[in-house]
Amino acid sequence: MFARLLCIGFVAAASLAVAVPARAGDPGRNLPRFASLSADKVYLRQGPTYQNRILWVYRRKGLPVEILAQYAVWRRVRMPDGATGWVHVAMLSSKRTVVITGKAKAPIRDGASPHARILALAQPGVIAKLDHCEPAACEIDVAGTDGWIAKKNVWGATPGEKIR
């Protein structure tokens, strides 16, 4: 009897998992994947409910996050600073962004080549809209400056990732 109930429970859970539609700002089910914060005030929680303790409050709309896991309307994310926790899906956007990393200004170039002409220098901590990526560089837009930056200078795109 127990085995039959377990089997029925498994079938019901499997059909439920398939029936859950992708939500706005939540394309596909591939994990891990990147997204960004959709609000100026986002709570990073210890677990996937409103009753869980708030670990951090992030106040940077557009900040990239890496989605590591999903549970109902909650996403377990890794922040650029390395903190992990749970965020409600309504606080996330599928718009890809990157944050400039490192201690020195990073060159934004007019091509993907590391020898292309420098258009501007981006300060560490600046958030940029992500347009395209080649294996070693990404095309970004920072306050109207459109150019390419080496992936080693950003957080929000994986090495070798191509985005069209």
Side-chain angles (χ1 to χ4, degrees), residues 3 7 9 11 27-28 34 51 55 76 82 99 117 121 126-127 163:
C7 181
V11 170
F34 286 96
Q51 289 70 40
L55 301 172
R76 185 168 184 268
V99 64
R117 183 173 59 94
L121 296 172
V126 166
I127 296 172
I163 300 171

Side-chain angles (χ1 to χ4, degrees), residues 113-131:
S113 166
H115 306 293
R117 183 173 59 94
I118 295 174
L119 301 172
L121 296 172
Q123 292 277 11
V126 166
I127 296 172
K129 179 181 170 250
L130 183 62
D131 292 327

Side-chain angles (χ1 to χ4, degrees), residues 101-116:
T101 59
K103 295 184 182 195
K105 295 177 183 177
I108 299 174
R109 300 179 180 275
D110 69 354
S113 166
H115 306 293

Side-chain angles (χ1 to χ4, degrees), residues 115-159:
H115 306 293
R117 183 173 59 94
I118 295 174
L119 301 172
L121 296 172
Q123 292 277 11
V126 166
I127 296 172
K129 179 181 170 250
L130 183 62
D131 292 327
H132 299 91
C133 277
E134 294 299 324
C138 291
E139 186 178 12
I140 60 170
D141 185 330
V142 180
T145 300
D146 186 33
W148 291 81
I149 192 165
K151 277 191 185 172
K152 68 179 183 177
N153 294 325
V154 298
W155 190 91
T158 57

